[in-house]
């Protein structure tokens, strides 16, 4: 994706328009050993007479609390000299390598059951079971320490482990030149969301209301400009091209399809990364230009005098749909008779991405494939479940299938929202701690009900008890129905079974080589669901290490017909609060090509029918679970979405 973008920028003749959430001028679009940094390439084009406009989301609050959208834009921690900075970077790399060695050593001890050096208190000296448990805990701790260092991002306190001193200095000086208008034809600006009331209006009547005032205010006040797009040479239809992107323009987004554990193609210190962007031509560029031009002109009044001269206004109004379409038909590999730019845009109360998802899910006849960073917008799950049940009751012959690839939620918060989504689909046991919490709440409500019913209050106390009993009965009925719906219980709750289940120990991949012994899933009537994540492993003959491939994609495919790709996650922020951009098209050739390419990459085999693919996913995830239990290599990268450690951790700050 970055390579295609670099080629398009190099060939630009007139204009380059960029909107993004995250931007690093020192990124080399052709990889760590690339010829030019991104900032150098843009300056080079500007000096050649191409008008370059760059607009990036930036918030001082977000800069401190979460990932940096503009690394080293304001970096008080980088005030030391070159030798000291490079020393710290070297130390960070050494710490990562040391953490991997420690992780490998702990894995080797666990796999060989070597308890000879396990320190234990005197009362546990001969207890081999206790010592083995300590080996397991040590291995898990070493993995967590390694993952923490490996999962680096641009943050306020630590910068990034691979931003060498010359890159740091380049960024600092590039921002200075860009902000001061020192490079002719290069205009750079930042933007933040100022109209909190307009964001609040977007969520009015939401099917997924915020849980409490704190979450409501956080959503309204922490909304971000999350769009990612590039538009090149719009006024030259014969060479005009655009990009609707999932990628941010930062170093941790650079990877290839192999997603190797220690990939030499990536920037050092960054984990494997899965993301998708799309290149577009033709009449849809009209909407991309409209989106960019209005956003740019809106910010310019608050900007430098030199930038005000770059206001677009009606300068591009002469470009016609016919010109763009005619030129595109000669270049594109896929002819899309219909394509639409969809957005989440608070300034005009545009929620067309949400509507596109709703319509696509409501028109599915065979399967849905979503590959998305998050999986936590519950209304989609409710809609599809209801639709599948309606099809089943109407004797529609075939079931629906939903193939999902997303991230385990332990990397970032909002685990409860992920659990809610999974529970609706009968997949709540994939987060066993939260499933147990829900069962425990049910049991406690039932005990409270029994206690209140057995009490014999009199007078005013009786009114209080009656009121409390009524509230308890209502809460219990709602939670009981929710539990029954999500767990395939047609005849209510088996309380004895629930009590027993809550006493069982939660298992993970190290405890059993059979995923069915760790969790029990319940597909609803007419809807079969797979929830998967992606995992990379070392290539050893035994005792392999594993790390999650971070899924940053924002893709929806339906029935090998409908294709939607952009910046929007499956969560409340993207559907209702942040500004987002996506492209949607009902083009079978494009949708089927995309699915086949991705499934071949993730699963190493694509079957002919949806049911066969569903069974293939099930067998492959089972095999890979067993491989991880035994320390063997994986087949492909597809693994079960399952997190035995995830608990109710709230999300703080603005993350991409």
């Amino acid at each position: 994706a970055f390579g295609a973008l670099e080629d398009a920028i190099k060939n630009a003749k007139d204009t380059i328009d960029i909107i993004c959430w995250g931007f690093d001028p020192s990124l080399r679009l052709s990889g760590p050993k690339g010829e030019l940094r991104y900032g150098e390439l843009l300056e080079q084009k500007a000096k050649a007479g191409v008008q370059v406009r760059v607009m990036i989301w930036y918030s001082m609050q977000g800069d401190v609390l979460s990932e940096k959208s503009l690394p080293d834009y304001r970096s008080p921690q980088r005030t030391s000299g070159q030798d000291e900075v490079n020393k710290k970077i070297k130390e960070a790399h050494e710490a990562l390598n040391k953490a991997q060695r420690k992780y490998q050593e702990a894995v080797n001890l666990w796999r060989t059951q070597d308890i000879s050096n396990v320190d234990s208190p005197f009362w546990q000296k001969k207890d081999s079971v206790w010592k083995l448990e300590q080996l397991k805990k040590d291995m898990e701790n070493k993995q967590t320490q390694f993952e923490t260092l490996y999962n680096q991002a641009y943050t306020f306190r630590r910068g990034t482990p691979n931003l060498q001193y010359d890159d740091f200095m380049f960024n600092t000086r590039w921002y200075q030149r860009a902000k001061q208008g020192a490079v002719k034809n290069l205009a750079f600006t930042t933007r933040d969301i100022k109209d909190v009331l307009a964001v609040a209006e977007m969520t009015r009547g939401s099917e997924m209301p915020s849980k409490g005032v704190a979450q409501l205010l956080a959503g309204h006040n922490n909304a971000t400009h999350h769009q990612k797009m590039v538009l090149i040479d719009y006024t030259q239809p014969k060479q005009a091209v655009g990009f609707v992107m999932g990628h941010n323009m930062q170093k941790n987004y650079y990877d290839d399809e192999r997603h190797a554990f220690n990939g030499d193609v990536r920037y050092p210190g960054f984990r494997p990364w899965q993301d998708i962007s799309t290149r577009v031509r033709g009449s849809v560029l009209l909407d991309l230009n409209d989106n960019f031009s209005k956003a740019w002109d809106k910010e310019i009044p608050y900007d430098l005098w030199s930038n005000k001269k770059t206001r677009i206004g009606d300068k591009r109004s002469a470009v016609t749909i016919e010109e763009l379409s005619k030129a595109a038909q000669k270049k594109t590999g896929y002819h899309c008779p219909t394509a639409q730019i969809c957005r989440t845009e608070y300034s005009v109360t545009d929620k067309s991405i949400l509507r596109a998802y709703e319509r696509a899910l409501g028109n599915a006849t065979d399967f849905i494939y979503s590959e998305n960073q998050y999986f936590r917008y519950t209304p989609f799950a409710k809609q599809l479940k209801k639709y599948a049940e309606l099809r089943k009751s109407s004797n529609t012959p075939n079931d629906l299938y939903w193939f999902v690839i997303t991230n385990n939620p332990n990397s970032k918060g909002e685990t409860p929202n992920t659990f809610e989504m999974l529970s609706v689909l009968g997949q709540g046991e994939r987060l066993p701690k939260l499933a147990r919490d829900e069962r425990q709440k049910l049991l406690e409500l039932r005990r409270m009900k029994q206690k209140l019913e057995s009490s014999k209050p009199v007078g005013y106390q009786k009114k209080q008890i009656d009121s409390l009993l009524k509230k308890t009965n209502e809460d219990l009925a709602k939670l009981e129905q929710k539990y029954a719906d999500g767990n395939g219980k047609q005849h209510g709750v088996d309380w004895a079974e629930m009590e027993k289940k809550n006493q069982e120990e939660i298992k993970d991949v190290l405890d059993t080589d059979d995923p069915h012994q760790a969790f029990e899933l319940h597909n609803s009537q007419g809807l079969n669901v797979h929830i998967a994540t992606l995992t990379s492993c070392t290539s050893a003959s035994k005792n392999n290490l594993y790390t999650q491939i971070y899924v940053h994609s924002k893709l929806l495919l339906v029935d090998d017909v409908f294709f939607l790709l952009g910046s929007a996650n499956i969560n409340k922020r993207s559907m209702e609060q942040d500004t987002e951009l996506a492209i949607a098209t009902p083009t079978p050739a494009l949708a089927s090509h995309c699915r086949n390419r991705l499934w071949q990459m993730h699963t190493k085999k694509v079957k002919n029918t949806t049911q066969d693919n569903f069974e293939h996913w099930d067998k492959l995830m089972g095999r890979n679970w067993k491989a991880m239990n035994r320390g063997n290599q994986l087949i492909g990268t597809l693994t079960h979405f399952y997190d035995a450690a995830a608990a109710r951790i709230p999300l703080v700050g603005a993350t991409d």
Side-chain angles (χ1 to χ4, degrees):
F2 282 152
L5 177 61
E6 183 175 46
D7 289 343
I9 290 175
K10 284 182 176 180
N11 291 320
K13 307 296 183 191
D14 185 33
T15 57
I16 300 170
D17 303 326
I18 297 171
I19 283 179
C20 207
W21 182 95
F23 176 80
D24 179 355
S26 67
L27 165 71
R28 298 174 192 267
L29 291 171
S30 50
K33 299 176 183 179
E35 177 187 1
L36 290 174
R37 298 181 179 94
Y38 199 7
E40 290 172 329
L41 178 59
L42 294 177
E43 284 187 315
Q44 185 182 87
K45 298 306 294 187
K47 291 174 182 177
V50 177
Q51 177 62 62
V52 179
R53 297 176 176 89
V54 181
M55 181 161 58
I56 309 298
W57 173 75
Y58 178 78
S59 160
M60 291 189 68
Q61 176 181 324
D63 202 39
V64 173
L65 293 178
S66 61
E67 296 177 25
K68 294 175 76 72
S69 59
L70 286 168
D72 292 307
Y73 189 61
R74 287 192 173 95
S75 296
Q77 77 277 22
R78 297 269 178 127
T79 56
S80 48
Q82 177 176 352
D83 291 341
E84 187 176 345
V85 170
N86 283 335
K87 179 183 176 183
K88 289 180 180 178
I89 293 165
K90 183 179 179 182
E91 289 173 352
H93 288 164
E94 289 174 349
L96 176 63
N97 292 332
K98 182 179 179 181
Q100 182 171 336
R101 289 195 301 271
K102 293 289 186 183
Y103 175 25
Q104 184 71 68
E105 290 168 3
V107 167
N108 294 342
L109 290 173
W110 161 254
R111 298 294 179 193
T112 58
Q113 308 283 280
D114 184 356
I115 60 174
S116 58
N117 294 316
V118 177
D119 294 329
S120 57
F122 69 89
W123 62 87
Q124 298 284 5
K125 286 292 184 184
K126 296 182 180 181
D127 191 337
S128 60
V129 175
W130 185 89
K131 291 184 177 183
L132 285 173
E133 185 63 27
Q134 296 308 112
L135 280 182
K136 180 187 173 186
K137 288 181 179 178
D138 184 57
M139 179 178 65
E140 291 171 336
N141 289 337
K142 293 296 191 298
Q143 181 177 7
T144 299
Q145 292 167 13
F146 166 72
E147 292 275 2
T148 300
L149 291 173
Y150 205 15
N151 300 348
Q152 296 283 358
Y154 301 95
T155 60
F156 180 78
R157 292 186 178 178
R158 66 170 176 254
T160 177
N162 53 28
L163 201 60
Q164 301 292 345
Y165 187 82
D166 55 346
D167 280 354
F168 157 62
M169 292 304 299
F170 174 80
N171 279 355
T172 303
R173 291 165 180 165
W174 191 92
Y175 291 134
Q176 289 175 348
R177 292 193 299 273
K179 287 189 293 183
Q180 294 170 3
V183 179
K184 186 179 179 181
N185 297 320
L186 174 62
F188 172 85
T189 190
T190 62
R191 62 173 180 166
D192 192 12
I193 291 180
K194 307 175 181 70
D195 194 344
V196 177
L197 293 179
V199 175
E201 185 62 31
M202 288 280 283
T203 64
R204 187 184 299 276
S206 171
E207 293 183 45
M208 189 177 174
S210 300
K211 296 177 180 178
V213 176
Q215 191 182 73
L216 180 72
L217 294 176
H220 294 167
N221 288 284
N222 293 324
T224 74
H225 286 294
H226 197 238
Q227 294 182 350
K228 305 167 182 72
M229 63 154 283
V230 179
L231 180 61
I232 295 172
D233 289 343
Y234 176 72
T235 58
Q236 309 290 324
K238 290 183 179 180
Q239 61 197 44
V241 63
F243 292 82
V244 178
M245 306 186 71
H247 295 76
N248 280 303
M249 299 167 186
Q250 295 181 326
K251 291 175 179 173
N252 49 323
Y253 290 76
Y254 196 93
D255 200 1
D256 65 7
E257 292 184 359
R258 295 174 300 163
H259 301 312
F261 189 96
N262 289 313
D264 55 1
V265 77
R266 292 195 300 275
Y267 281 86
F270 283 134
R271 67 192 299 181
W273 202 274
Q274 167 68 12
D275 213 339
I276 313 170
S277 293
T278 186
R279 179 174 51 201
V280 298
R281 303 182 194 272
S283 58
V284 76
L285 297 182
L286 197 76
D287 291 334
L288 277 186
N289 173 65
D290 184 71
N291 179 77
F292 180 85
S293 298
K294 288 180 178 176
W296 182 265
D297 288 353
K298 182 180 178 181
E299 296 299 323
I300 291 308
Y302 305 97
D303 219 329
L304 296 172
W305 176 84
S306 59
N307 278 356
K308 291 179 182 178
K309 295 186 293 183
T310 66
R311 186 177 182 276
I312 298 170
D314 60 359
K315 295 175 184 176
R316 300 179 176 181
S317 58
V319 179
T320 66
I321 289 179
E322 290 75 21
E323 287 178 302
L324 292 168
S325 298
K326 185 177 179 180
Q329 289 175 13
K330 296 180 180 180
K331 290 194 174 185
T332 185
Y334 298 101
H335 176 58
C336 304
T338 303
Q340 178 184 355
I341 291 297
C342 310
R343 299 189 303 175
T344 306
E345 176 55 62
Y346 68 92
S347 64
V348 289
T349 321
D350 183 349
K351 293 194 282 188
S352 50
I353 293 178
L354 172 60
R355 302 300 169 230
Y357 262 85
E358 290 172 340
R359 288 167 185 161
L361 296 177
N363 283 306
T365 60
D366 186 14
F367 76 90
I368 300 97
Y369 174 55
S370 55
E371 184 174 306
N372 202 286
Q373 183 179 5
Y374 300 129
F375 191 65
R376 55 177 68 142
Y377 193 71
T378 311
F380 291 159
K382 291 179 178 178
Q383 176 194 350
L384 195 59
K385 181 179 179 181
K386 184 177 179 180
Y387 174 49
E389 290 172 349
L390 179 62
R391 283 167 49 89
K392 196 73 173 177
S393 65
S394 303
N395 296 318
T396 304
N398 61 304
D399 286 357
L400 291 176
Y401 295 84
W402 196 352
F403 300 84
V404 178
I405 290 180
T406 188
N407 295 304
N408 280 343
N410 56 4
S411 57
K412 288 185 170 74
E414 287 203 9
T415 309
N417 285 338
T418 305
F419 176 70
E420 290 288 330
M421 184 97 167
L422 296 174
S423 295
V424 171
L425 299 170
Q427 308 277 313
E429 291 291 333
R430 292 184 180 276
L431 296 175
K433 280 191 176 180
L434 276 74
R436 185 171 61 185
D437 288 348
E438 186 175 80
R439 291 193 298 270
Q440 189 61 35
K441 187 176 180 180
L442 257 172
L443 291 168
E444 289 173 358
L445 280 171
R446 183 169 180 259
R447 293 188 192 109
M448 180 179 286
K449 175 187 175 181
Q450 292 171 338
K451 184 177 180 180
L452 291 171
E453 288 177 337
S454 63
S455 64
K456 298 178 181 179
V458 294
Y460 178 71
Q461 192 180 36
K462 185 176 186 305
K463 288 184 178 180
Q464 289 182 311
I465 294 296
D466 287 346
S467 176
L468 184 57
L469 179 59
K470 180 181 178 182
K471 179 68 167 58
T472 302
N473 280 329
E474 290 173 354
D475 292 344
L476 181 60
K478 288 179 183 177
L479 196 57
E480 192 174 345
Q481 186 62 53
K482 176 185 170 186
Y483 178 81
D485 289 345
N487 290 273
K489 304 294 183 183
Q490 302 297 322
H491 306 289
V493 176
D494 186 330
W495 296 102
E497 178 190 356
M498 185 180 290
E499 288 274 13
K500 180 182 177 182
K501 192 170 182 62
N502 256 27
Q503 300 305 314
E504 295 175 356
E505 185 178 357
I506 291 175
K507 296 180 179 180
D508 62 23
V509 72
L510 297 176
D511 299 317
T512 174
D513 65 0
D514 183 1
H516 299 295
Q517 292 182 11
F519 53 88
E520 183 181 2
L521 306 177
H522 304 277
N523 284 315
S524 58
Q525 288 290 312
L527 179 61
N528 303 286
V529 183
H530 274 320
I531 314 288
T533 191
L534 302 178
T535 303
S536 178
C537 73
T538 49
S539 54
S541 58
K542 61 179 181 178
N543 296 353
N544 280 274
L545 308 183
Y546 308 96
T547 189
Q548 182 176 279
I549 299 168
Y550 195 75
V551 178
H552 192 262
S553 317
K554 292 95 169 56
L555 173 71
L556 176 70
L557 301 175
V558 179
D559 293 343
D560 272 349
V561 173
F562 182 79
F563 170 99
L564 186 148
L565 179 69
S567 66
N569 294 309
I570 298 179
N571 64 357
K572 183 179 177 68
R573 291 183 65 117
S574 286
M575 296 299 156
E576 302 179 10
Q577 296 169 334
D578 294 351
T579 62
E580 305 284 3
L581 187 75
I583 185 168
T585 176
T587 303
L590 176 61
S592 61
H593 166 79
C594 188
R595 177 182 65 85
N596 277 281
R597 182 178 176 188
L598 289 168
W599 286 12
Q600 185 66 41
M601 185 167 70
H602 301 328
T603 75
K604 298 303 180 185
K605 188 181 292 184
V606 182
K607 300 287 188 174
N608 291 328
T609 69
T610 301
Q611 184 174 346
D612 287 346
N613 278 306
F614 192 83
E615 292 172 0
H616 172 56
W617 277 44
D618 187 56
K619 291 176 183 177
L620 180 60
M621 288 190 290
R623 284 197 199 106
N624 282 341
W625 178 287
K626 185 175 289 188
M628 293 173 73
N629 174 266
R630 299 177 179 180
N632 296 333
Q633 288 188 43
L634 304 177
I635 300 172
T637 57
L638 195 76
T639 51
H640 272 293
F641 177 104
Y642 182 76
D643 193 338
R648 296 181 181 273
I649 306 170
L651 180 68
V652 178
T655 58
D656 181 69

